[in-house]
Amino acid sequence: MMITNEDLLKEISERELTQLSDINATGSTDQSVVDDALNDAISFVESFIILPENPTPLLKKIVVDLTIYELRRKNELVSDSDKELKKENEAYLSKMSNGRLRTEVTPTSTASVDNTTSSFAFAHQNRKRIDRDGFR
C-alpha cells in the first residue's frame, strides 16, 4: 500500500475524510471510496513514472494530495487552491519522470570516516588558508 488513511489525516481532518467518502450517508468513513480515490491518484502518478518499492516522502505527499483531490472532485468540492496544488504536483511528477527528482528512497551504506581526519567537522587537506588581513 502506497499510503494509508493516517497519511491522509496528516493533511485533512478525520471529519473531512468521513464527509468526502461517506457517499451512502452512514456517518462513517467509506474505505472503498477512499481506496477508489487512492487508485485514481496512483493511476495519475503512473502516467508519469513507475511507482517505486520505497517512495520518497515527496512522492508519498503527492499521492496524498492527489487522493484528497480525487475525493473532493467526486464531491464537486475542488477549489482553486486544490487545482493549483494539482498543477504543482504535476510539475514535480514531470521532474521525476525525466530524472530531475528522485522517486525512491535508497538504503544508504553506513558512512565511514577516514582514520586520517582529526576531530574537525570538515577536513581541509592541503588547502591554503585564506589571507584575512585587511578585512578588519
Side-chain angles (χ1 to χ4, degrees):
M1 184 56 104
M2 180 85 184
I3 61 165
T4 63
N5 284 8
E6 285 72 40
D7 295 319
L8 294 171
L9 293 173
K10 290 175 187 167
E11 297 300 318
I12 60 173
S13 67
E14 193 157 345
R15 182 169 174 250
E16 185 177 0
L17 184 60
T18 298
Q19 288 172 338
L20 290 172
S21 68
D22 187 17
I23 57 173
N24 297 317
T26 61
S28 60
T29 301
D30 187 334
Q31 193 59 48
S32 66
V33 173
V34 174
D35 291 345
D36 190 39
L38 171 60
N39 288 330
D40 288 349
I42 287 173
S43 294
F44 183 77
V45 169
E46 286 178 330
S47 70
F48 289 88
I49 60 169
I50 296 168
L51 281 179
E53 252 334 279
N54 197 5
T56 60
L58 174 61
L59 184 51
K60 279 186 148 189
K61 171 85 170 76
I62 290 169
V63 173
V64 166
D65 290 345
L66 292 172
T67 301
I68 293 167
Y69 179 88
E70 287 300 322
L71 285 167
R72 288 181 178 156
R73 188 184 61 74
K74 289 175 194 298
N75 287 278
E76 298 175 5
L77 294 171
V78 175
S79 68
D80 286 344
S81 65
D82 291 328
K83 289 176 187 169
E84 259 328 289
L85 188 58
K86 186 173 185 199
K87 278 185 196 162
E88 240 175 74
N89 285 325
E90 279 183 61
Y92 285 133
L93 289 169
S94 184
K95 287 178 183 171
M96 288 175 178
S97 73
N98 63 30
R100 288 178 31 220
L101 274 177
R102 287 187 354 185
T103 60
E104 187 164 24
V105 176
T106 50
T108 54
S109 61
T110 51
S112 60
V113 177
D114 185 4
N115 292 336
T116 60
T117 60
S118 56
S119 62
F120 295 110
F122 299 100
H124 299 285
Q125 297 167 334
N126 302 325
R127 295 254 171 93
K128 231 178 159 180
R129 287 217 173 254
I130 297 171
D131 183 13
R132 288 184 267 169
D133 287 349
F135 278 114
R136 293 188 182 202

